[in-house]
Amino acid sequence: MNDEIMLNEGVELSRNFITEAIDEDLASGRFNKIITRFPPEPNGYLHIGHAKALCIDFSMAERYNGVCNLRYDDTNPAKEEVEYVDAIEEDIRWLGFNWAGKYYASDYFKQMYDYAVELIKKGKAYVCSLSADEITQTRGTLTTPGVECEERNRSVEENLELFERMKNGEFPDGSMTLRAKIDMASPNMNMRDPVMYRIKHVEHHHVGDEWCIYPMYDWAHGLEDSIEGVSHSMCSLEYEDHRPLYDWFLNELNIYHPRQIEFARLNINYVVLSKRKLIQLVKEGYVRGWDDPRMPTLRGLRRRGYTPTAVKNFINMVGVSKVNSVVDYAMLEHALRDEANKKALRVMAVLDPIKLVIDNYPEGKFEYLEADNNPEDENAGKREVPFSRELYIEREDFMAVPEKKFFRLAPGREVRLKHAYYVTCTGYETDENGNVTVVHCNYDPASRGGWSEDGRKVKATLHWVSAQHALEAEVRLYGRLFTVENPDSAEGSFLDYLNKDSLEIIEKAYVEPSLADAKQGVSYQFLRLGYFCLDDDAVKENRLVFNRSVALKDSK
Ligand code: ATP
Ligand code: MG
């Protein structure tokens, strides 16, 4: 077997403790077919953390010639919606994964109910009328045992009758639960008679109003895995303490028993990855939607210009471990930049324009200059860029009185215009406030293409666009959404740490005319400015709108 796992397009997830566990299980004969599952709860959009789980679930199946199923862990109807179900499927497909079967936990509600009846009959579950608060209060602490509820010793017949009446809708929400009868003194709090069912008179997005009792995660998850014949049930580390319960239920029922393996959740600094918080950002209008390019959702990343390969490369860089850690946001950007550098088409755009007039260039004349589309890729070809007497350059590329270490354009100084000519600054004009409005230059016709025959050197190369040929575009620049590394654990609300300047909109930038037919899904390097992609709004509104995916260099 290979040491590397191929995840489409050459993305690889290295050997790790999960592959070791699976190897062990195959060798011992505990399992002979590998079946994994990705089990989202349809209560929000998928984010980059889910991408990690997806990569693990799908790559393990692929590595061992098994299958990975998609299963909706839809046991909590109050927060779940069909909108999310559809989005989840779109996002998984976008990442390039294909599930074998598609299942809904809610389709097993009857089977789960029957299993619960079986446990009651075995004297391993009982109906309890304590309120949620009372259950918490009587659970005890890490140092003191819990208190057994009096109803714990009710007869099997009574429990069966009450449970059936719970199911039939005879009791109001919150009035009763079904609890597993395990051990109120267990050192593992999860084993202290956990709740298996609660009453909720709520319609379910998939099974309608058929049920008014709904199973709890710990009870349901192992059953779902078992019913589907999952061999390895990978989940994040916070479920490690729940594994004894997962195993207890399956052992008591004596049914097919998958193996749960936990891995560290993905955390990224300056980012929140909880669906609840992401929902809040959207619903309260702090961002422009689920696909806002600042969001760590898969659709946010896509709109920002991330490709599936960049996302998977990132996950691969992070690796699979059993220890929680926080990944630097710069690593995510690195994955994007690394791929974009290989593929992006190089073009010129000016975000903060100032006029540059070449006084010795004939008025009315223009010419086309040849430019490489991508020097990193010899097959990318060349294009023609129009040049004329009046250009736009970046305002910050000129200084009337140059500072030390400023090597770009200044009076008397010669620089190269990329792909074009050497130009020497002969003067400038200002408005009544002293702001520079126009810069004047002369060009050296012999330096066509940006090279001088006499070998004289210039210290700077500027990008530019021809004023009469340039197209107007809106350009959106993004900063981090949060101002602190860990908004989740900072004092107060995570919303207190929102970066008010995370979106900068440049309403009128100038871009070279080749971008008239810019396409979605293509990365463009605006020379010296970063990697950009066409925003969805461009297609919707039929105008040019670009997002900066990432700057050229790490800002740190
Ligand atoms: P959230 O806390 O954001 O609501 P969740 O864990 O409740 O996330 P689910 O829909 O239950 O979200 O997750 C589906 C799968 O994705 C689970 O296996 C879960 O462990 C995994 N997952 C969710 N978030 C992360 C993360 N940040 N890193 C790795 N895996 C994750
Ligand atoms: Mg969950």
Side-chain angles (χ1 to χ4, degrees):
M1 193 160 290
N2 288 333
D3 259 17
E4 302 296 335
I5 296 164
M6 305 301 289
L7 280 181
N8 309 10
E9 294 194 50
V11 182
E12 299 160 358
L13 203 56
S14 312
R15 278 187 67 83
N16 54 57
F17 70 95
I18 300 178
T19 61
E20 274 163 33
I22 297 179
D23 287 341
E24 199 181 281
D25 289 341
L26 288 172
S28 74
R30 177 170 171 185
F31 299 104
N32 47 39
K33 181 165 165 59
I34 302 308
I35 301 182
T36 63
R37 87 288 172 261
F38 176 69
E41 188 180 347
N43 61 352
Y45 284 68
L46 297 183
H47 53 61
I48 184 78
H50 293 114
K52 177 172 181 179
L54 279 161
C55 285
I56 292 174
D57 295 332
F58 277 95
S59 67
M60 290 305 137
E62 190 174 316
R63 178 185 179 94
Y64 294 95
N65 291 321
V67 295
C68 179
N69 297 320
L70 169 61
R71 178 215 307 145
Y72 292 108
D73 199 8
D74 56 350
T75 54
N76 186 8
K79 292 182 181 157
E80 296 162 3
E81 289 172 31
V82 174
E83 171 197 349
Y84 299 135
V85 168
D86 296 340
I88 285 170
E89 291 177 24
E90 241 178 68
D91 289 346
I92 299 175
R93 284 207 194 88
W94 174 72
L95 267 185
F97 293 123
N98 296 303
W99 53 89
K102 179 169 90 179
Y103 306 111
Y104 291 83
S106 54
D107 285 335
Y108 315 140
F109 281 171
K110 174 69 170 74
Q111 202 165 346
M112 290 178 186
Y113 178 83
D114 292 342
Y115 280 135
V117 168
E118 222 177 297
L119 282 193
I120 295 174
K121 285 185 180 157
K122 277 185 78 180
K124 298 288 183 178
Y126 62 97
V127 173
C128 172
S129 59
L130 294 184
S131 68
D133 279 349
E134 287 166 332
I135 289 180
T136 310
Q137 280 157 21
T138 53
R139 186 164 280 150
T141 66
L142 286 174
T143 48
T144 55
V147 180
E148 295 187 355
C149 163
E150 282 168 22
E151 292 158 313
R152 200 175 195 261
N153 299 314
R154 206 198 322 261
S155 73
V156 167
E157 289 66 35
E158 257 182 295
N159 278 321
L160 285 173
E161 189 207 319
L162 283 171
F163 186 48
E164 186 170 356
R165 291 174 60 195
M166 270 173 70
K167 182 196 75 166
N168 292 342
E170 292 185 31
F171 306 114
D173 287 7
S175 60
M176 282 184 195
T177 58
L178 183 74
R179 295 175 73 180
K181 191 167 169 180
I182 310 180
D183 178 4
M184 286 305 287
S186 170
N188 183 339
M189 301 289 282
N190 296 310
M191 302 297 276
R192 295 188 184 174
D193 290 13
V195 172
M196 295 163 61
Y197 278 95
R198 66 249 198 257
I199 303 175
K200 271 194 184 176
H201 292 265
V202 180
E203 179 151 323
H204 189 281
H205 68 94
H206 184 62
V207 291
D209 56 7
E210 200 181 334
W211 295 87
C212 65
I213 56 170
Y214 289 100
M216 300 297 287
Y217 176 90
D218 283 324
W219 164 242
H221 207 84
L223 297 184
E224 296 159 20
D225 288 341
S226 176
I227 290 167
E228 288 165 13
V230 165
S231 61
H232 295 85
S233 175
M234 271 78 78
C235 61
S236 36
L237 212 52
E238 69 272 22
Y239 293 105
E240 194 169 22
D241 287 345
H242 297 243
R243 180 160 22 99
L245 183 52
Y246 180 101
D247 290 334
W248 188 88
F249 283 129
L250 297 175
N251 285 333
E252 288 299 331
L253 291 167
N254 195 23
I255 54 178
Y256 174 80
H257 197 144
R259 175 172 179 184
Q260 174 176 306
I261 301 177
E262 308 85 16
F263 59 85
R265 271 178 103 81
L266 176 68
N267 301 298
I268 305 177
N269 61 8
Y270 300 102
V271 165
V272 295
L273 286 183
S274 128
K275 278 186 279 188
R276 186 177 58 78
K277 289 179 181 160
L278 295 176
I279 285 178
Q280 212 176 335
L281 291 176
V282 173
K283 298 230 156 125
E284 294 175 19
Y286 296 105
V287 293
R288 294 172 156 198
W290 284 104
D291 61 350
D292 186 301
R294 290 167 292 180
M295 290 282 275
T297 50
L298 293 181
R299 48 194 54 205
L301 293 170
R302 179 191 58 67
R303 190 164 174 184
R304 178 77 169 259
Y306 279 81
T307 60
T309 306
V311 170
K312 290 179 194 165
N313 279 340
F314 167 71
I315 299 298
N316 196 44
M317 269 188 264
V318 170
V320 184
S321 107
K322 242 195 137 61
V323 185
N324 276 321
S325 63
V326 180
V327 172
D328 198 338
Y329 189 79
M331 201 196 264
L332 184 59
E333 293 195 320
H334 172 78
L336 172 58
R337 193 182 290 119
D338 197 47
E339 200 205 355
N341 179 45
K342 290 177 203 137
K343 296 190 180 159
L345 297 175
R346 273 61 173 171
V347 294
M348 293 196 285
V350 175
L351 301 189
D352 184 13
I354 184 174
K355 248 303 160 61
L356 180 80
V357 178
I358 302 170
D359 293 300
N360 64 340
Y361 194 89
E363 257 174 271
K365 170 180 170 174
F366 65 90
E367 66 188 298
Y368 283 98
L369 300 165
E370 195 168 73
D372 272 332
N373 284 331
N374 182 0
E376 302 282 317
D377 175 4
E378 52 189 44
N379 299 320
K382 295 183 189 296
R383 70 187 186 289
E384 309 258 271
V385 186
F387 181 88
S388 63
R389 189 170 189 265
E390 295 196 3
L391 313 173
Y392 291 113
I393 60 168
E394 218 65 66
R395 180 169 289 277
E396 61 165 38
D397 281 340
F398 173 76
M399 280 188 107
V401 183
E403 287 167 355
K404 245 184 153 179
K405 294 199 174 162
F406 181 86
F407 299 114
R408 290 166 274 166
L409 203 57
R413 193 171 293 165
E414 185 170 56
V415 299
R416 173 190 297 114
L417 295 178
K418 182 78 181 174
H419 305 304
Y421 293 99
Y422 281 17
V423 293
T424 304
C425 178
T426 53
Y428 60 92
E429 297 169 36
T430 54
D431 63 15
E432 62 272 23
N433 301 317
N435 297 318
V436 177
T437 50
V438 180
V439 178
H440 288 273
C441 281
N442 281 329
Y443 84 120
D444 171 9
S447 63
R448 194 172 196 271
W451 305 103
S452 153
E453 271 177 27
D454 63 9
R456 78 185 185 275
K457 297 255 185 329
V458 288
K459 284 197 170 148
T461 301
L462 310 187
H463 61 272
W464 51 273
V465 291
S466 165
Q468 74 177 102
H469 300 95
L471 305 175
E472 285 179 16
E474 180 178 316
V475 174
R476 300 173 183 167
L477 307 178
Y478 301 98
R480 290 177 172 136
L481 201 45
F482 293 96
T483 54
V484 293
E485 286 213 28
N486 192 343
D488 282 320
S489 63
E491 209 184 309
S493 159
F494 74 107
L495 296 171
D496 299 340
Y497 302 94
L498 273 172
N499 174 11
K500 307 253 170 347
D501 304 316
S502 59
L503 169 62
E504 183 190 343
I505 299 181
I506 297 168
E507 284 173 10
K508 199 163 119 182
Y510 291 109
V511 302
E512 64 168 70
S514 72
L515 286 169
D517 48 29
K519 289 187 182 53
Q520 281 202 296
V522 176
S523 178
Y524 299 95
Q525 185 192 98
F526 290 5
L527 290 186
R528 299 172 67 220
L529 297 172
Y531 296 100
F532 292 74
C533 65
L534 198 67
D535 186 71
D536 293 357
D537 284 345
V539 179
K540 261 185 245 155
E541 297 162 19
N542 195 24
R543 63 191 180 108
L544 289 177
V545 183
F546 290 96
N547 294 318
R548 178 151 72 185
S549 311
V550 66
L552 286 182
K553 291 202 181 80
D554 189 351
S555 51
K556 283 204 298 189

